[in-house]
Amino acid sequence: MKKEESDLKIIEEMERRELQDRYIRFDWAIKRLLRQKANFDVLDGFLTVMLNEEIKIVEILESEGNQESADDKYNRVDIKALNSKGEIIIVEIQNTRELHYLERILYGVAKAITEHISLGEGYEKIKKVYSISILYFDIGIGTDYIYHGQNHFVGVHTGDHLRVNTRERDVIVSHLPAEIFPEYILVRVNEFDKVALTPLDEWMEYLKDGTIRPDTTAPGLKEAREKLKYYSMSPQERLIYDRHLDAIMIQNDVIDTAKLEGRIEGKAEGKAEGKAEGIVEGKAIGLAEGEAKGKAEGLAEGMRQVAARMKDTGVDMATIAKCTGLSEEIILSL
């Protein structure tokens, strides 16, 4: 009996050592832990690195806007915070592919702006908004892992940047539009494949692999090493967290499989249909049109397969619709 107890203690100690350097994923931390004021230093560090200026969060704002009508949409983001300069920062993490993602972040920024200016207030009360999207899916074609978007008004003929005069404390001040208009940062986590040499690289390494160097000096990561340890969670919290990771893996696997099957089916059907139409009409254009049609039908069928599999695994209706672009009526019929 004593030997069994000793063996159990050895196993528990091995597990503890294995888990002590495992860190909670940022998407989970941002939803559960970083909303607490005691953990703002982790979020401060992340934003400081991403925006390349010192950021101090003073308040976490309500991140789901009220609907003004039955047709209005909620503004759901993972974190919406106010910094020490009175600016609004939106942070959102997207684990699975979503159609029309750029349109959605544009809506989220517009909603954040309008939510924080009261009826009758002057336009000078409008807050600058930073939108940071951490993406674990392929949003498009590009060679970099971080893209930054700002508004600039550039002279068509001269190439100079327009500065706009505004009034501040009864003094006329000149501003670049980029100082007022929203800024967008898209972080393509899966595209990062460098050796981490800078604080930004170290944050990318953590976002991708969940690893943090013991000797890190990157803003926020030293604090994260202490506050985001997997082993610091209770067994029940770890169970819920592990299920969250399993759900993400299942969703991604289902989507990737269905996309591959859709492409294969679409290509095969398209070629067959295109060849048939080309022979009948005696025109080369028949092959191209038929193949394009088949690809489109195959992609649509692939999305229906994605929706059906996600539905079978218990994924909620809103998430399925968001990931596939299908209507709830179609999803219910599957």
Side-chain angles (χ1 to χ4, degrees), residues 160-210:
D160 70 309
H161 286 243
L162 177 68
R163 299 187 71 91
V164 179
N165 292 331
T166 59
R167 182 182 293 276
E168 288 185 4
R169 301 182 183 90
D170 296 325
V171 176
I172 300 299
V173 179
S174 183
H175 284 297
L176 286 169
E179 299 175 68
I180 302 168
F181 280 78
E183 292 187 33
Y184 301 86
I185 295 177
L186 301 180
V187 182
R188 303 168 75 212
V189 178
N190 296 334
E191 301 303 314
F192 178 74
D193 60 358
K194 296 171 56 180
V195 175
L197 300 175
T198 67
L200 178 58
D201 291 344
E202 288 191 48
W203 264 102
M204 290 299 302
E205 194 172 60
Y206 166 56
L207 292 175
K208 185 173 184 178
D209 302 325

Side-chain angles (χ1 to χ4, degrees), residues 91-115:
V91 182
E92 185 168 10
I93 298 178
Q94 188 71 19
N95 285 302
T96 53
R97 177 179 178 272
E98 180 177 345
L99 298 174
H100 313 302
Y101 187 75
L102 291 182
E103 291 85 348
R104 190 162 76 78
I105 61 175
L106 173 62
Y107 177 86
V109 167
K111 190 77 172 176
I113 292 171
T114 56
E115 284 174 350

Side-chain angles (χ1 to χ4, degrees), residues 17 35 64 166 244 268 312:
R17 290 181 179 179
R35 297 176 180 277
E64 185 172 284
T166 59
H244 165 71
D312 290 342

Side-chain angles (χ1 to χ4, degrees), residues 21-45:
D21 287 326
R22 180 181 172 188
Y23 298 95
I24 301 165
R25 272 176 58 114
F26 198 57
D27 62 335
W28 185 265
I30 216 168
K31 289 183 173 73
R32 301 287 184 113
L33 303 174
L34 300 186
R35 297 176 180 277
Q36 303 166 12
K37 197 154 190 172
N39 296 332
F40 279 8
D41 48 3
V42 177
L43 191 57
D44 289 344

Side-chain angles (χ1 to χ4, degrees), residues 24-253:
I24 301 165
R25 272 176 58 114
F26 198 57
D27 62 335
W28 185 265
I30 216 168
K31 289 183 173 73
R32 301 287 184 113
L33 303 174
L34 300 186
R35 297 176 180 277
Q36 303 166 12
K37 197 154 190 172
N39 296 332
F40 279 8
D41 48 3
V42 177
L43 191 57
D44 289 344
F46 169 72
L47 297 174
T48 294
V49 169
M50 283 295 159
L51 299 176
N52 199 29
E53 63 175 296
E54 187 173 356
I55 299 294
K56 292 293 182 185
I57 295 301
V58 297
E59 182 183 0
I60 299 297
L61 303 171
E62 176 58 48
S63 62
E64 185 172 284
N66 294 325
Q67 287 179 304
E68 295 179 1
S69 70
D71 296 328
D72 195 12
K73 294 184 180 295
Y74 285 114
N75 178 24
R76 291 188 177 92
V77 296
D78 292 321
I79 283 282
K80 185 166 69 171
L82 194 69
N83 70 12
S84 56
K85 295 193 291 186
E87 299 165 328
I88 298 169
I89 300 175
I90 293 172
V91 182
E92 185 168 10
I93 298 178
Q94 188 71 19
N95 285 302
T96 53
R97 177 179 178 272
E98 180 177 345
L99 298 174
H100 313 302
Y101 187 75
L102 291 182
E103 291 85 348
R104 190 162 76 78
I105 61 175
L106 173 62
Y107 177 86
V109 167
K111 190 77 172 176
I113 292 171
T114 56
E115 284 174 350
H116 293 277
I117 183 169
S118 302
L119 188 65
E121 285 187 321
Y123 291 120
E124 72 275 7
K125 299 294 185 181
I126 286 177
K127 304 290 187 183
K128 180 177 174 69
V129 177
Y130 296 89
S131 173
I132 301 174
S133 297
I134 302 171
L135 308 176
Y136 287 87
F137 67 95
D138 185 9
I139 195 172
I141 300 170
T143 57
D144 208 331
Y145 53 90
I146 295 184
Y147 286 86
H148 181 208
Q150 282 182 289
N151 284 80
H152 296 279
F153 290 86
V154 182
V156 175
H157 302 100
T158 62
D160 70 309
H161 286 243
L162 177 68
R163 299 187 71 91
V164 179
N165 292 331
T166 59
R167 182 182 293 276
E168 288 185 4
R169 301 182 183 90
D170 296 325
V171 176
I172 300 299
V173 179
S174 183
H175 284 297
L176 286 169
E179 299 175 68
I180 302 168
F181 280 78
E183 292 187 33
Y184 301 86
I185 295 177
L186 301 180
V187 182
R188 303 168 75 212
V189 178
N190 296 334
E191 301 303 314
F192 178 74
D193 60 358
K194 296 171 56 180
V195 175
L197 300 175
T198 67
L200 178 58
D201 291 344
E202 288 191 48
W203 264 102
M204 290 299 302
E205 194 172 60
Y206 166 56
L207 292 175
K208 185 173 184 178
D209 302 325
T211 57
I212 305 176
R213 297 180 180 184
D215 60 345
T216 184
T217 59
L221 283 183
K222 182 179 180 180
E223 294 80 6
R225 275 183 58 84
E226 299 302 318
K227 298 178 178 180
L228 302 185
K229 285 187 176 181
Y230 174 85
Y231 198 70
S232 66
M233 293 191 293
S234 68
Q236 184 178 4
E237 289 172 330
R238 291 204 298 269
L239 178 61
I240 296 171
Y241 173 72
D242 290 339
R243 285 177 177 171
H244 165 71
L245 297 186
D246 290 341
I248 290 173
M249 292 178 63
I250 291 170
Q251 286 186 37
N252 285 327
D253 183 59

